[in-house]
Amino acid sequence: MIRFLLHACCAPCGIAVIDELKSQYDLTVFFYNNNIYPEEEYLKRKKYVVQICDEWLIPMIDFDYNQTDWREAVQGLENEPEGGARCSKCFRLRLETTARYAKENNFDIFCTTLTSGRNKKAEVINPIGVEVGLKYGVMFFETDWKKAGRQQKARKMVEERGIYRQNYCGCRFSHNNLII
Ligand code: SF4
């Protein structure tokens, strides 16, 4: 069976994607989101990804939470608007780390749940995934998880399980803005 590494940013973005992929692939979830601030928020988001993986017996890699790496990656872009250059760097760091881990651990394909977010543009995220996939020699699964009714499905699944839904993207600079 094809080994698939799925970077998951949070449970609301991941739940319908994981549900869809788990029967088609040998799926592993990769939690690497050192953009999230503060740490209590990071732990809260992680807790619900763990809950989903436990429910469906999906292996989950709990990768590191090195905020210094993230701050260095976005240095000089602190005042960028959400959706701008800082976000592209943030996507790249998380996708590149996922691609590298996939290569080092013999996965065939990797992907991210990031395109599930209603304000996350697949046309920005997917080319980064393809580029880092080529760099490490692992295929990036290009898609837009917002499509095909997955957002509605995810909303229902989140409500049924009482899963926490955050009201900001994740980093300290997005803390007071309501975009996901
Ligand atoms: S707003 Fe979201 S995507 Fe953009 S830098 Fe912050 S955490 Fe990353």
Side-chain angles (χ1 to χ4, degrees):
M1 209 172 187
I2 294 170
R3 299 191 71 220
F4 196 122
L5 187 66
L6 178 68
H7 166 260
C9 54
C10 63
C13 284
I15 193 163
V17 179
I18 295 169
D19 188 38
E20 186 171 328
L21 295 175
K22 66 182 170 34
S23 57
Q24 301 173 44
Y25 298 97
D26 179 2
L27 183 67
T28 296
V29 168
F30 190 69
F31 193 82
Y32 172 61
N33 298 294
N34 54 359
N35 54 312
I36 301 172
Y37 173 90
E39 188 171 0
E40 305 88 75
E41 176 73 17
Y42 168 81
L43 293 171
K44 199 168 177 184
R45 294 190 196 186
K46 183 164 79 174
K47 176 181 140 183
Y48 288 100
V49 174
V50 169
Q51 181 184 308
I52 295 168
C53 290
D54 282 352
E55 178 181 340
W56 291 324
L57 302 177
I58 308 288
M60 193 198 96
I61 309 297
D62 182 3
F63 212 62
D64 72 14
Y65 180 57
N66 186 334
Q67 285 225 303
T68 307
D69 286 352
W70 186 83
R71 289 301 298 261
E72 280 173 6
V74 303
Q75 201 166 15
L77 300 169
E78 292 81 0
N79 296 321
E80 279 284 307
E82 292 187 25
R86 187 186 68 241
C87 299
S88 294
K89 293 275 188 188
C90 177
F91 300 147
R92 179 175 294 275
L93 175 64
R94 288 183 282 164
L95 285 170
E96 181 154 3
T97 302
T98 309
R100 189 167 55 239
Y101 186 92
K103 181 65 182 176
E104 288 170 358
N105 292 278
N106 301 314
F107 284 89
D108 303 297
I109 307 179
F110 77 105
C111 188
T112 178
T113 60
L114 280 165
T115 62
S116 297
R118 68 177 185 273
N119 289 322
K120 297 284 188 305
K121 293 187 175 127
E123 60 269 31
V124 172
I125 294 165
N126 283 334
I128 297 172
V130 170
E131 192 189 321
V132 297
L134 285 170
K135 180 174 173 183
Y136 289 96
V138 190
M139 190 183 138
F140 178 71
F141 187 88
E142 265 187 275
T143 191
D144 186 349
W145 295 116
K146 284 184 278 305
K147 296 190 171 161
R150 295 186 187 98
Q151 284 188 312
Q152 293 83 341
K153 181 182 168 187
R155 208 167 296 129
K156 188 164 178 288
M157 295 172 91
V158 161
E159 277 167 18
E160 283 167 359
R161 289 164 177 79
I163 287 173
Y164 163 67
R165 181 185 287 281
Q166 65 273 11
N167 62 5
Y168 70 103
C169 186
C171 67
R172 64 188 69 216
F173 310 113
S174 65
H175 201 221
N176 296 318
N177 296 332
L178 302 180
I179 72 154
I180 303 296

